[in-house]
Each structure stands twice: as C-alpha cells, then as structure tokens.
C-alpha cells in the first residue's frame, strides 16, 4: 500500500519514493526487488538469491536462482545433481560421485571398488566385484563391493613360437581332423 511522502527519508525498507505520483508516495518494491529505508529505488536480488521480506537471501541448499529479481528459488535439484547455497543452477555430479536424493548440497564419493558415470544417482561395483548390503545393518544405499571368486580355472590351449594361449572360464571344444 502506498503512503503519502514528501522525502525519501519518509519511506520504510521494502518501499521507494515514487515521484511520478502527485503527491509522491512510498510504493512497495516489486516481487524479487528490495530496498533499505529512505530509498529512491528498489534493487533486484542477485543471482543465487531470492527476496525474503526486505532482504535478499541465499537460495538454500539443493535449490538455485538462475536469474536476478527472484521472489523464490527453484524446486529441489534432482538426484545425480547438487547445489550448495547461492547456486545459479543444479550442478552435475562428476564421475566417481553420486547423489541419491533430491536437494543435495554435495555429491558423495563412490565407495571402494565402486564407480559411477557423471550425473549418477548411485554407484555400482566395478568389474570383478559384486554388491551386497553392508554388515552394519545399513540402508540399501550402504552397499559394499566384494571380490567375486571364479570357480573356473585357467585352461591352457597351446603354445606356438613361445606364445601361450590361456582362456579363463570359457567353454570351448577342440576338434581333431577327421579322416
């Protein structure tokens, strides 16, 4: 609501002296804009911030502000991304890191013998390892990777000129010449 004023000093924080009206009035700042007391104009909240009453505050963890003059920040960043305070966009998790939930501040490093591509919401065991729940009664995200022992033995096929051919765990058949 506008109030009559004759000087900037009459206007409170969150308003500005509007000289275009007769008589001049203290008008509210538009959404996403703020002012201190006695202001002649309102200023937009900067990138990564939003308007909260008469102040601009940092967008909270897991959200972002991609433009100036916002009255609220984005929805929560999706899994596979993160956003610390003052973010201007959701940031993709780097390879070897993940975020499993919405609205994460940071991506978590994958555990031992695990890896992930960029933008991952979970990690997976590397080749030669398998996943099982952690022994500490953890949640589904508390996985450990253990070495998979193979029940196949190396099979020596033959040697030619000092080179040996060995196949691990493969099914094969050797045929002699029929005659």
């Amino acid at each position: 609501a506008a109030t009559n004023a004759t000087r900037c000093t009459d206007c409170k924080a969150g308003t500005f002296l509007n000289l275009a009206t007769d008589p001049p009035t203290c008008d509210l700042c538009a959404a996403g804009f703020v002012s201190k007391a006695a202001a002649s104009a309102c200023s937009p909240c900067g990138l990564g911030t939003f308007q909260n009453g008469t102040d601009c505050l940092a967008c909270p963890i897991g959200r972002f502000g991609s433009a100036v003059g916002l009255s609220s920040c984005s929805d929560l960043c999706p899994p596979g991304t993160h956003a610390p305070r003052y973010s201007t966009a959701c940031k993709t998790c780097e390879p070897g890191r993940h975020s499993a939930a919405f609205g994460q501040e940071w991506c978590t490093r994958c555990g031992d013998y695990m890896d992930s591509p960029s933008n991952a919401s979970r990690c997976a065991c590397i080749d030669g390892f398998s996943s099982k729940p952690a022994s500490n009664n953890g949640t589904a995200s508390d996985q450990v990777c253990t070495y998979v022992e193979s029940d196949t033995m190396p099979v020596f096929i033959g040697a030619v000129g000092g080179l040996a051919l060995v196949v691990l765990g493969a099914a094969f058949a050797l045929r002699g010449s029929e005659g």
Side-chain angles (χ1 to χ4, degrees), residues 2-171:
T3 59
N4 288 340
T6 56
R7 302 183 317 263
C8 288
T9 55
D10 294 335
C11 296
K12 298 176 185 176
T15 66
F16 69 101
L17 182 62
N18 184 350
L19 296 174
T21 59
D22 189 23
T25 57
C26 293
D27 291 346
L28 288 174
C29 294
F33 289 71
V34 295
S35 71
K36 299 297 180 199
S40 60
C42 299
S43 301
C45 291
L47 291 172
T49 68
F50 72 104
Q51 176 206 1
N52 184 8
T54 59
D55 294 311
C56 294
L57 300 179
C59 287
I61 291 169
R63 298 175 186 265
F64 66 92
S66 61
V68 297
L70 296 177
S71 58
S72 65
C73 295
S74 71
D75 289 335
L76 291 173
C77 292
T81 66
H82 68 103
R85 290 172 35 113
Y86 291 102
S87 288
T88 58
C90 295
K91 295 164 180 56
T92 298
C93 291
E94 297 174 355
R97 296 183 170 272
H98 74 288
S99 68
F102 283 86
Q104 297 299 298
E105 180 176 16
W106 304 109
C107 297
T108 305
R109 185 183 74 78
C110 293
D112 293 339
Y113 311 111
M114 300 181 96
D115 200 9
S116 68
S118 64
N119 202 36
S121 60
R122 66 183 197 88
C123 297
C125 295
I126 60 174
D127 288 343
F129 291 79
S130 68
S131 178
K132 68 177 185 178
S135 59
N136 61 356
N137 294 327
T139 65
S141 65
D142 294 329
Q143 296 288 312
V144 294
C145 292
T146 56
Y147 179 70
V148 177
E149 291 188 36
S150 174
D151 59 353
T152 59
M153 297 296 294
V155 178
F156 177 74
I157 294 179
V160 175
L163 297 175
L165 176 60
V166 176
V167 177
L168 297 175

